[in-house]
Amino acid sequence: MNAFTESLQAAFGLIVHADLQLLRVVGLSLAVSGSACLIAAGFGLAAGAALAVLRFPGRRSMLVVLNTLLALPSVVVGLVVYLLLSRSGPLGSWGLLFTPGAMVIAQTVLVVPVVAALTREAIAASWKQHGEQLRSLGAGRGVAAALLLWDERLALLTVLLAAFGRAISEVGAVMIVGGNIDGHTRVMTTAIALETSKGDLPLALALGIVLLGVVLLLNALIAAVRWWATHRDRGAAHG
């Protein structure tokens, strides 16, 4: 039996027996990424809907900036947040550096552009289809944006699921601002990197399997939501 097979068997053993260290790392990962996505949803959904429906000076420039932020390197986000939260930084008095709060902030910064850009695409398509009807009913652009957000709620749910996948698989920013402190700021991605470097392959593989499982579940949920939305729309059309 080679080292990989032994490590894989040990990894499944950790998962089956609900290893305490494994559960602690997975739980923190889900909490940090979930919190970041909830905060990002508030900013990203509103910004995306506004960019899709409203017309104002500088809108095209904002779209260029938004599309650029989609490729924002996570280590750059981590560095900027680190400088802001460091003791000599403008937000140093908050005392958030090397805490889960700092990790939430970093992931939120990474996820907001994703939510905003995908929301803008969904709402822009819906505005093109229903905008004239909403205007004829006397709805202003702000009210129309809110109505379209509700109308496209299933599509936006898939956006949030995709954003959660982006957040939970991120490693650079949370490593910088969290410090990868055992029992405090160690999440799945940073733990995988650390345990691999230490030679603890079973734990690294166990965390990798759980992370892959989370991503697989997210993709399955996205597919299920899209399938349900498609069949609902077909049923409404036939009705």
Side-chain angles (χ1 to χ4, degrees):
M1 186 179 297
N2 57 40
F4 176 79
T5 304
E6 292 178 353
S7 298
L8 193 60
Q9 287 183 348
F12 278 111
L14 291 174
I15 295 172
V16 171
H17 295 97
D19 179 74
L20 182 60
Q21 184 180 4
L22 178 69
L23 293 179
R24 185 168 59 240
V25 171
V26 172
L28 181 60
S29 299
L30 295 175
V32 168
S33 298
S35 300
C37 284
L38 286 176
I39 298 171
F43 291 103
L45 292 175
L51 288 171
V53 174
L54 302 180
R55 297 296 181 267
F56 51 87
R59 176 178 173 274
R60 290 184 180 274
S61 298
M62 290 187 66
L63 290 177
V64 172
V65 172
L66 178 61
N67 290 330
T68 302
L69 291 177
L70 289 174
L72 189 63
S74 60
V75 289
V76 174
V77 172
L79 175 60
V80 172
V81 174
Y82 178 92
L83 292 173
L84 290 173
L85 297 179
S86 64
R87 298 182 67 177
S88 59
L91 305 180
S93 59
W94 292 7
L96 288 177
L97 193 61
F98 302 135
T99 68
M103 298 160 70
V104 170
I105 292 173
Q107 287 195 357
T108 300
V109 173
L110 280 169
V111 169
V112 164
V114 176
V115 176
L118 296 179
T119 298
R120 189 200 70 81
E121 290 183 5
I123 299 302
S126 186
W127 174 250
K128 186 176 181 180
Q129 184 178 0
H130 303 294
E132 193 64 36
Q133 180 182 5
L134 289 171
R135 283 194 295 266
S136 68
L137 294 174
R141 289 181 179 265
V143 174
L147 291 173
L148 291 175
L149 280 172
W150 174 252
D151 188 59
E152 296 294 326
R153 58 191 180 278
L154 291 177
L156 297 178
L157 177 59
T158 66
V159 169
L160 296 181
L161 289 172
F164 183 81
R166 167 78 168 98
I168 202 167
S169 60
E170 192 280 323
V171 59
V174 293
M175 179 79 81
I176 293 173
V177 302
N180 199 21
I181 303 171
D182 187 22
H184 186 52
T185 59
R186 186 165 297 170
V187 293
M188 283 190 282
T189 51
T190 59
I192 290 171
L194 177 66
E195 299 304 332
T196 301
S197 66
K198 288 167 53 180
D200 189 353
L201 298 182
L203 180 55
L205 274 173
L207 289 167
I209 291 169
V210 173
L211 184 57
L212 285 173
V214 170
V215 173
L216 178 61
L217 178 61
L218 289 173
N219 283 309
L221 287 173
I222 291 172
V225 169
R226 287 177 176 172
W227 178 87
W228 187 79
T230 300
H231 282 260
R232 186 199 63 167
D233 293 341
R234 288 178 180 174
H238 289 304

